[in-house]
């Protein structure tokens, strides 16, 4: 049980590291997927090892997967749009939303 | 029940695969290689799901993540970054801050797990999970989780429309 939690924690930390250090927007999105997966591992682990009524944790994980898919779609569409407008997808190229 | 808590060899192999490929995802220079390692990492997570007797989730993971999201990533990489040019700097200069954040996070997680272990929330023998995973999930989706199910379908529709609108050439 603890091993699964540690695995999920380390995977989440790796994803966090990626999100902070990447300059490429697609790289950030991929790191985000890692973090989603870490959260899912946690949910499924608790669903298996902690007494509960049925499969609530797994249902939660399924919804997370679906929402992550939607997020990836929208994110990559935005990436395409940004690329079309700025000719590049590095995060420090477009600081237009910063003030 | 106690022997279930001890993960076996498969778990260790899978975790090593997941962690190494995860590190590759966040550290490699070539974004295309990162996507390939992301696929490997997500497949490993699917294996972990099977170990945790979540077979349906493992199948969904393979279909959605490895099948759809990874292909989407590869498409976006092909469409945006000019792979030929190696001059692109992939990371910013925040590695120190990132390591610090991760260490703080890891310490927090460590204390969380320690506290939970001392509280022994999982030492009670849990009742066995339903053997027919898919059947139970389908029933739950249509009864207890009816509303989230519908909401998530609306989210998917919104995401689809949004992606089409965003990626369209020019507003007509």
């Amino acid at each position: 049980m603890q091993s699964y939690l540690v695995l999920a924690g380390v995977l989440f930390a790796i994803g966090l590291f990626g999100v902070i250090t990447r300059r490429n927007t697609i790289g950030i999105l991929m790191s985000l997927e890692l973090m989603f997966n870490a959260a899912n591992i946690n949910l499924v682990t608790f669903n298996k090892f902690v007494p509960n009524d049925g499969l609530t944790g797994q249902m939660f994980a399924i919804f997370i997967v679906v929402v992550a898919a939607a997020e990836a779609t929208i994110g990559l569409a935005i990436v395409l749009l940004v690329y079309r407008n700025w000719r590049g997808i590095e995060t420090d190229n477009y600081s237009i939303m910063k003030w | 029940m106690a022997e279930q808590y001890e993960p076996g060899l498969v778990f260790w192999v899978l975790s090593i695969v997941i962690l190494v490929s995860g590190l590759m995802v966040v550290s490699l220079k070539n974004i295309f290689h990162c996507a390939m390692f992301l696929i490997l990492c997500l497949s490993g997570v699917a294996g972990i799901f099977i170990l945790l007797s979540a077979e349906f989730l493992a199948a969904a993971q393979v279909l959605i993540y490895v099948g759809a999201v990874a292909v989407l990533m590869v498409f976006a990489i092909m469409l945006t970054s000019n792979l030929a040019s190696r001059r692109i700097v992939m990371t910013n200069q925040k590695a120190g801050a990132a390591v610090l954040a991760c260490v703080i996070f890891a310490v927090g997680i460590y204390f969380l797990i320690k506290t939970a272990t001392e509280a022994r929330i999982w030492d009670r023998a849990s009742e066995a999970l339903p053997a027919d995973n898919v059947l139970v999930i389908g029933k739950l989706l249509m009864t207890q989780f009816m509303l989230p199910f519908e909401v998530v379908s609306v989210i998917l529709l919104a995401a689809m429309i949004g992606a089409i609108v965003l990626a369209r050439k020019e507003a007509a």
Side-chain angles (χ1 to χ4, degrees):
Chain A
M1 166 88 188
Q2 281 92 337
S3 321
Y4 289 100
L5 294 185
V6 169
L7 169 69
V10 175
L11 188 60
F12 193 92
I14 291 175
L16 183 64
F17 178 83
V19 168
I20 298 177
T21 52
R22 279 288 180 203
R23 276 180 76 228
N24 189 315
T25 318
I26 297 177
I28 293 179
L29 281 173
M30 293 201 292
S31 309
L32 269 179
E33 301 295 334
L34 290 186
M35 291 164 84
F36 276 125
N37 273 282
N40 276 348
I41 291 178
N42 252 351
L43 284 170
V44 178
T45 307
F46 279 116
N47 184 58
K48 182 164 171 63
F49 291 115
V50 178
N52 59 1
D53 52 343
L55 291 174
T56 315
Q58 286 189 29
M59 300 300 303
F60 213 111
I62 288 172
F63 286 122
I64 288 184
V65 168
V66 174
V67 174
E71 166 264 335
T73 318
I74 291 294
L76 291 173
I78 293 175
V79 166
L80 281 187
L81 198 66
V82 165
Y83 180 74
R84 209 175 284 150
N85 285 336
W86 274 271
R87 293 285 117 198
I89 53 169
E90 283 74 40
T91 42
D92 38 1
N93 279 355
Y94 40 98
S95 53
I96 190 169
M97 287 168 78
K98 203 159 67 178
W99 58 280
Chain B
M1 225 47 180
E3 74 277 0
Q4 244 185 25
Y5 294 168
E6 283 306 314
L9 178 69
V10 184
F11 170 79
W12 296 114
V13 173
L14 278 177
S15 359
I16 288 171
V17 166
I18 289 174
L19 293 181
V20 169
S21 55
L23 275 178
M24 292 295 173
V25 169
V26 298
S27 61
L28 280 186
K29 294 271 179 257
N30 189 332
I31 191 76
F32 191 77
H33 295 167
C34 292
M36 293 297 124
F37 275 108
L38 182 70
I39 294 177
L40 184 61
C41 184
L42 298 178
S43 313
V45 174
I48 290 285
F49 286 161
I50 289 180
L51 278 187
L52 289 168
S53 55
E55 291 87 5
F56 177 76
L57 199 53
Q61 170 94 0
V62 171
L63 279 179
I64 297 178
Y65 270 119
V66 183
V69 173
V71 170
L72 211 60
M73 294 280 180
V74 172
F75 259 103
I77 291 168
M78 300 279 201
L79 284 175
T80 55
S81 57
N82 18 10
L83 283 173
S85 63
R86 288 279 180 272
R87 55 172 183 81
I88 309 173
V89 186
M90 287 301 298
T91 55
N92 57 17
Q93 310 304 320
K94 304 282 196 310
V99 168
L100 185 67
C102 293
V103 166
I104 292 173
F105 174 80
V107 170
I109 287 291
Y110 169 75
F111 279 113
L112 255 172
I113 293 177
K114 194 157 158 272
T115 313
T117 310
E118 281 159 4
R120 313 180 77 78
I121 56 170
W122 45 67
D123 268 9
R124 289 162 283 170
S126 65
E127 62 266 46
L129 289 178
D132 201 344
N133 212 288
V134 185
L135 183 70
V136 177
I137 284 179
K139 276 181 181 161
L140 276 177
L141 267 184
M142 281 298 136
T143 54
Q144 193 184 348
F145 293 94
M146 191 74 193
L147 183 64
F149 182 63
E150 299 295 340
V151 170
V152 106
S153 59
V154 175
I155 287 179
L156 278 181
L157 180 67
M160 193 171 72
I161 295 174
I164 293 173
V165 170
L166 281 177
R168 200 169 46 175
K169 263 288 179 237
E170 267 304 310

